[in-house]
Amino acid sequence: MFSRVLAGGIHGIDSYLAQVEVDVSQGMPGFDMVGLLSSEVREARERVRVALKNSAFRLPPQRITVNISPADIRKEGSAFDLAIAIGIMVSMEYLPQEILENTLFIGELGLNGELKSVKGILPMMIMAKEKGIDRCILPRENAAEGAVIPGIRIIGVSNLEEAIRYCGLKEEEKDAFLAPTLLDTNALFQEKENADVPDFADIRGQELVKRAAVIAAAGFHHLLITGIPGTGKTMVAKRIPSILPPLSMEESLEVSKIYSVSGLLKQGKPLITDRPFLHPHHTISTRALAGGGRIPRPGMISLSHRGVLFLDEFPEFGRENIEVLRQPLEDKEVQIARSHASVTYPADTMIVAAMNPCPCGFYPDRNRCQCTENEIRRYRSRISGPIYDRIDLCVEAKALDIEDLQGEAVGLSSRELRKQVMQARVMQEKRYKGTPFFFNADLGAGDISRFCALGKGEEAYMKKLFSLLGLSARAYHRILKTARTIADLEEAEKIEKRHLSEAMSFRGWED
């Protein structure tokens, strides 16, 4: 007998609807699986066979053929186990065909029949809703993650025997046996993961650096902080999450999808509700930073999507690691091509980098700096012109005086700075309503003239700067986007010369 069961597969961070076709017939006993399957999917036949036996359902000596379509997509992972087992039970007429209608089956089977959690449940549920599927049977550990998407009845089961028993019940008896999992997403957003983020009030002096941090947070601009050791570069960077705008539900789903396919969602926390803040060591590999592998997985650039990727001691990162940032900085995505798969991961991250002015860190103080001119030039050249050109704000952290360190702190707290950021965020929400943009930094070159229009006086001012400083087209556009954010912080509708001048002052760290 033939049956067709709906399942979900993962390609990149998106899901596709897979159909598990099962045929059980007379003939030479065997268990064949086809459909461009990876080794872990092919191994499902042994897991399913033993799991059914240990759940008191011994397979008869018949020929079992399983095909997983579409055949042109390579199937990865172990999420097809439950669908295969249910398809066999239906084909053997242990279960009625009706239970397969509009129902998705997801889960990995243990040899004892236990249903184990799998990666990528969230994108599968998003796909299921788009396809009009109204019920999903999945591992109990994944039930809360599946319930994030409303409109689908999520049934969490512990083992194969429980799943088969549920499928065999009449429709009116099902809820009494296993009630659908419900989730209050609003309550999740009230639980703050980053409640212990340090406060900007702890930082003495460095008002210009804090100003740059506020502008960067308000418009989601890339930021480079330079300065001698001990001036607070890292302190400022680690406090940026405390002033970032909260994630919207749409942004949260984007981020959570990446963490879901990576298997990094915490138990009991099925949704990422705070902007990510990742701080990789400079010895990180290119694959770990950008993503990749035989089976491509997101790297730290994508894991910091809609959040902050802090690169401390920026020039100490390998040249390949620094250059791999070019595409994310410009296109806000990472493309990974392998022989059997080509995937694109989102990478709309705010890059915050910190660096010293020279290898020893004390240039231009020649009483302390012993670096030669060639060493300094070689150290700074590790950051290429194209990378620098893609950074919106560059600011120097000056050495502190003793007066800055003694006495009570007088700087603004994170709460006060966040008010300024949220003020600019409101301006951007109104401006970009109905567009795919969230922040000023999201604007492409073709959108600048529409959203960052200049008056005649401002155009003449920028024309003069462009010719005088030899700006690139990219640098010109980034100055306009930064000026737009500075104007938003003042709730100004138009970009004025003072906004352009301040935006321009945050260029040219190499001077």
Side-chain angles (χ1 to χ4, degrees):
M1 183 177 173
F2 173 81
S3 64
R4 182 183 286 115
V5 186
L6 298 180
I10 295 295
H11 183 72
I13 65 163
D14 296 314
S15 177
Y16 59 89
L17 184 64
Q19 295 185 348
V20 178
E21 300 173 333
V22 181
D23 181 76
V24 178
S25 60
Q26 299 297 324
M28 183 69 70
F31 195 145
D32 297 321
M33 295 183 61
V34 295
L36 196 58
L37 311 178
S38 66
S39 58
E40 58 265 33
V41 180
R42 288 196 300 270
E43 291 166 356
R45 61 184 165 197
E46 298 305 324
R47 292 194 297 268
V48 170
R49 187 197 304 274
V50 178
L52 283 170
K53 176 181 72 69
N54 289 329
S55 301
F57 300 102
R58 188 176 296 274
L59 294 178
Q62 292 181 302
R63 185 169 189 81
I64 300 172
T65 305
V66 176
N67 174 52
I68 305 179
S69 63
D72 60 338
I73 298 178
R74 185 175 176 82
K75 319 304 182 304
E76 307 280 359
S78 54
F80 300 102
D81 291 9
L82 180 60
I84 295 170
I86 294 297
I88 291 173
M89 297 302 290
V90 172
S91 295
M92 293 170 56
E93 300 184 351
Y94 285 139
L95 291 173
Q97 285 274 358
E98 296 74 44
I99 62 106
L100 304 180
E101 294 179 5
N102 238 18
T103 301
L104 201 66
F105 293 87
I106 300 168
E108 175 188 342
L109 288 173
L111 296 184
N112 61 350
E114 174 191 6
L115 206 59
K116 300 180 179 181
S117 63
V118 296
K119 301 176 182 178
I121 290 294
L122 186 57
M124 289 183 192
M125 293 305 100
I126 294 173
M127 175 274 298
K129 186 171 183 180
E130 292 173 352
K131 298 293 184 180
I133 295 171
D134 55 23
R135 177 162 51 195
C136 180
I137 299 176
L138 42 61
R140 193 178 298 277
E141 292 180 27
N142 292 128
E145 183 182 343
V148 166
I149 306 301
I152 303 176
R153 291 167 60 83
I154 301 298
I155 309 299
V157 297
S158 301
N159 50 59
L160 179 58
E161 186 176 359
E162 193 174 60
I164 293 174
R165 184 180 172 189
Y166 176 86
C167 292
L169 294 173
K170 295 180 180 179
E171 198 62 41
E172 59 271 16
E173 299 173 337
K174 283 181 165 58
D175 285 357
F177 178 61
L178 286 176
T181 301
L182 302 176
L183 185 70
D184 184 0
T185 55
N186 292 327
L188 290 177
F189 276 88
Q190 293 173 2
E191 301 174 10
K192 290 298 177 185
E193 295 178 353
N194 297 335
D196 57 346
V197 174
D199 198 291
F200 266 97
D202 303 331
I203 298 177
R204 308 298 180 94
Q206 304 298 4
E207 295 305 314
L208 184 62
V209 181
K210 286 192 273 187
R211 172 64 174 174
V214 169
I215 296 171
F220 220 63
H221 301 286
H222 305 305
L223 172 65
L224 173 64
I225 308 173
T226 66
I228 65 174
T231 52
K233 302 186 296 294
T234 302
M235 287 183 67
V236 170
K238 288 185 175 180
R239 283 156 176 77
I240 287 177
S242 67
I243 62 173
L244 286 173
L247 279 174
S248 66
M249 185 61 183
E250 184 179 351
E251 290 176 300
S252 177
L253 286 175
E254 289 180 11
V255 178
S256 299
K257 280 175 61 177
I258 301 171
Y259 278 72
S260 178
V261 299
S262 302
L264 296 176
L265 286 178
K266 298 177 182 177
Q267 189 67 29
K269 191 71 176 178
L271 202 62
I272 302 295
T273 55
D274 287 311
R275 295 189 183 276
F277 180 86
L278 276 68
H279 181 187
H281 192 264
H282 64 264
T283 57
I284 188 173
S285 68
T286 305
R287 179 182 295 181
L289 183 63
R294 185 185 66 83
I295 303 173
R297 291 286 182 264
M300 295 195 78
I301 298 174
S302 295
L303 291 172
S304 59
H305 179 66
R306 299 295 181 189
V308 176
L309 180 65
F310 175 41
L311 305 175
D312 203 3
E313 304 297 342
F314 193 29
E316 299 300 336
F317 282 77
R319 181 62 180 255
E320 189 175 356
N321 286 344
I322 295 176
E323 293 304 315
V324 84
L325 295 172
R326 287 196 188 194
Q327 186 184 20
L329 283 167
E330 185 71 16
D331 301 331
K332 304 184 184 302
E333 64 181 21
V334 175
Q335 294 181 346
I336 299 174
R338 295 293 181 265
S339 58
H340 64 273
S342 179
V343 297
T344 299
Y345 294 122
D348 190 356
T349 180
M350 175 179 165
I351 303 289
V352 177
M355 63 174 287
N356 297 322
C358 69
C360 77
F362 295 104
Y363 180 82
D365 185 353
R366 280 306 187 181
N367 292 323
R368 304 171 72 183
C369 176
Q370 303 300 317
C371 301
T372 66
E373 292 297 326
N374 283 338
E375 288 174 333
I376 297 172
R377 191 178 300 109
R378 188 161 51 249
Y379 179 79
R380 292 188 171 196
S381 68
R382 293 177 186 175
I383 304 176
S384 64
I387 290 292
Y388 165 68
D389 215 27
R390 287 166 165 82
I391 297 176
D392 303 327
L393 299 159
C394 300
V395 63
E396 182 181 359
K398 301 290 186 180
L400 297 174
D401 296 325
I402 187 64
E403 290 79 9
D404 295 320
L405 301 175
Q406 294 179 340
E408 296 184 3
V410 295
L412 296 177
S413 67
S414 291
R415 176 176 293 185
E416 294 168 307
L417 294 177
R418 198 180 196 208
K419 288 181 180 178
Q420 298 179 24
V421 172
M422 291 306 299
Q423 177 177 290
R425 177 67 179 132
V426 170
M427 295 280 290
Q428 293 169 78
E429 283 181 344
K430 293 178 180 177
R431 181 181 306 119
Y432 302 130
K433 187 176 182 180
T435 73
F437 308 125
F438 289 95
F439 295 95
N440 292 327
D442 296 339
L443 296 175
D447 308 298
I448 298 292
S449 59
R450 176 184 173 189
F451 294 106
C452 301
L454 301 179
K456 290 184 178 180
E458 287 73 26
E459 285 184 347
Y461 179 69
M462 284 305 297
K463 184 177 181 180
K464 182 178 180 181
L465 285 179
F466 188 87
S467 59
L468 184 64
L469 301 176
L471 299 175
S472 67
R474 182 184 291 115
Y476 174 79
H477 288 148
R478 290 188 178 275
I479 291 171
L480 292 185
K481 289 189 285 186
T482 303
R484 179 65 270 173
T485 300
I486 295 170
D488 289 342
L489 286 166
E490 298 180 4
E491 296 186 280
E493 292 294 335
K494 295 182 179 180
I495 299 175
E496 301 179 13
K497 285 184 181 179
R498 67 177 187 276
H499 305 141
L500 295 168
S501 178
E502 184 176 5
M504 188 62 224
S505 71
F506 289 113
R507 307 286 304 179
W509 63 272
E510 71 273 21
D511 295 338

